[in-house]
């Protein structure tokens, strides 16, 4: 039996999350349901996509991921199931599932009208039952046919030249650390040995290996476990103290 994960903007203080879990457990009480996060900012597809893209591969292949972000806003585009890298994703066709990888899913299914209901709570009444049945052994093909209109969103990419990498902050974590879309692979390919990292009136000329290589209150920069450049202030709220936020620009300038 597959695991089921939940990613939502429900929070933990309302009835939405337990209602969705109850819907799945009423179909199969043996399901193992794991929360990825239910603290996504309301309707924030970019934040949800970053967290899901950063974590789904750490779960066993075959895991079913229930994605409940802006599900009521997805009624016009419909609800879908996709198979990507041996993982199954169940959610609205609102673009979030197009941001999980740099390639399209191998299988995409649009759920048939037979499985859709008139509801103000589609995560509970539409998506949860399908996720529970797929995790219990059903195939996503059992619930619909090939998806033709896969809604796509384009994530912001870093700009790379031989002299510079220009990137943007794509995520601010709970500590105020700023994660960018500058990839270690690009840096390693271009790095001549001397460079500066420039962001909002700050400049660093070295990379760290971890947070504690600088003194509390000092800036750090390193490539994190995702292979992305992360900057911040040790034991401080980097976003607030540096005056940076989502989409702020970060440069790496190479000196030849």
């Amino acid at each position: 039996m597959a695991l089921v994960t939940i990613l939502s903007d429900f929070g933990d203080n309302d009835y939405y999350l337990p209602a969705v879990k109850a819907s799945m457990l009423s179909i199969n009480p043996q399901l193992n349901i794991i929360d990825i996060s239910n603290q996504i900012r309301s309707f924030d597809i970019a934040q949800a996509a970053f967290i899901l893209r950063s974590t789904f591969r750490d779960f066993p292949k075959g895991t079913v991921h229930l994605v409940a972000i802006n599900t009521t806003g997805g009624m016009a585009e419909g609800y879908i199931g996709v198979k990507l890298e041996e993982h199954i994703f169940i959610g609205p066709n609102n673009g979030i599932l197009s941001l999980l990888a740099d390639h399209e899913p191998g299988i995409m299914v649009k759920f048939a009208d037979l499985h859709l209901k008139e509801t103000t709570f589609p995560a509970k009444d539409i998506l949860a039952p399908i996720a529970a049945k797929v995790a219990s052994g059903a195939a996503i093909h059992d619930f619909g046919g090939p998806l033709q209109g896969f809604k796509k969103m384009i994530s912001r990419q870093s700009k790379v030249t031989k002299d510079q990498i220009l990137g943007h902050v794509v995520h601010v974590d709970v500590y105020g650390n700023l994660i960018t879309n500058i990839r270690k692979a690009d840096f390693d390919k271009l790095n001549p040995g001397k460079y500066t990292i420039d962001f909002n009136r700050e400049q660093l000329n070295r990379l760290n290996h971890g947070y504690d290589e600088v003194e509390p209150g000092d800036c750090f920069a390193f490539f994190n476990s995702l292979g992305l450049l992360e900057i911040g202030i040790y034991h401080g709220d980097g976003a607030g103290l540096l005056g940076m936020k989502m989409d702020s620009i970060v440069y790496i300038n190479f000196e030849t």
Side-chain angles (χ1 to χ4, degrees):
M1 185 181 304
L3 293 173
V4 180
T5 74
I6 299 180
L7 180 73
S8 80
D9 53 6
F10 295 149
D12 292 320
N13 296 318
D14 222 315
Y15 74 93
Y16 303 116
L17 180 59
V20 167
K21 291 182 178 181
S23 176
M24 289 191 282
L25 292 170
S26 67
I27 292 172
N28 185 346
Q30 304 303 315
L31 287 176
N32 189 359
I33 303 172
I34 297 174
D35 297 312
I36 291 180
S37 176
N38 298 296
Q39 303 296 334
I40 302 299
R41 290 182 294 271
S42 298
F43 318 119
D44 194 330
I45 287 175
Q47 183 193 21
F50 178 86
I51 289 176
L52 189 55
R53 178 172 178 145
S54 301
T55 56
F56 83 82
R57 295 177 180 87
D58 294 324
F59 288 95
K61 291 182 178 180
T63 296
V64 177
H65 303 277
L66 174 57
V67 184
I69 308 294
N70 195 23
T71 52
T72 56
M75 291 180 178
E77 291 86 7
Y79 300 95
I80 62 175
V82 305
K83 187 174 184 179
L84 173 70
E85 299 177 21
E86 302 303 316
H87 290 253
I88 303 295
F89 299 85
I90 309 292
N93 187 22
N94 60 8
I96 186 172
L97 299 184
S98 71
L99 297 172
L100 300 184
D102 296 330
H103 54 277
E104 285 197 359
I107 298 174
M108 298 184 286
V109 172
K110 182 175 182 179
F111 298 140
D113 292 343
L114 172 67
H115 301 285
L116 307 183
K117 303 177 181 179
E118 292 282 341
T119 177
T120 60
F121 197 174
K124 170 182 176 287
D125 296 327
I126 298 173
L127 301 178
I130 294 176
K133 292 172 184 176
V134 171
S136 301
I140 53 174
H141 293 296
D142 297 341
F143 302 95
L147 172 66
Q148 304 299 329
F150 185 44
K151 185 172 181 179
K152 295 182 181 180
M153 302 181 79
I154 300 174
S155 60
R156 186 185 285 278
Q157 301 293 315
S158 59
K159 296 180 181 179
V160 180
T161 69
K162 65 181 181 64
D163 300 315
Q164 182 187 78
I165 303 176
L166 185 158
H168 293 81
V169 174
V170 294
H171 183 69
V172 180
D173 74 11
V174 295
Y175 301 101
N177 300 324
L178 302 134
I179 301 174
T180 77
N181 58 358
I182 296 177
R183 300 175 185 271
K184 185 177 187 298
D186 292 329
F187 174 82
D188 289 344
K189 187 182 300 182
L190 296 169
N191 178 22
K194 196 171 182 181
Y195 55 86
T196 60
I197 304 168
D198 299 277
F199 49 95
N200 204 25
R201 302 186 301 279
E202 296 287 338
Q203 185 177 89
L204 302 175
N205 57 15
R206 66 183 292 266
L207 284 164
N208 306 111
H209 295 95
Y211 300 99
D212 60 354
E213 286 191 354
V214 301
E215 296 295 322
D218 287 345
C219 288
F220 63 79
F222 61 80
F223 284 101
N224 63 20
S225 61
L226 301 172
L228 299 174
L229 181 69
E230 180 174 334
I231 60 178
I233 294 179
Y234 186 43
H235 284 188
D237 178 357
L241 293 171
L242 294 169
M244 298 177 70
K245 58 185 180 179
M246 280 284 294
D247 221 33
S248 290
I249 297 175
V250 178
Y251 300 92
I252 297 181
N253 293 299
F254 298 110
E255 300 180 27
T256 56

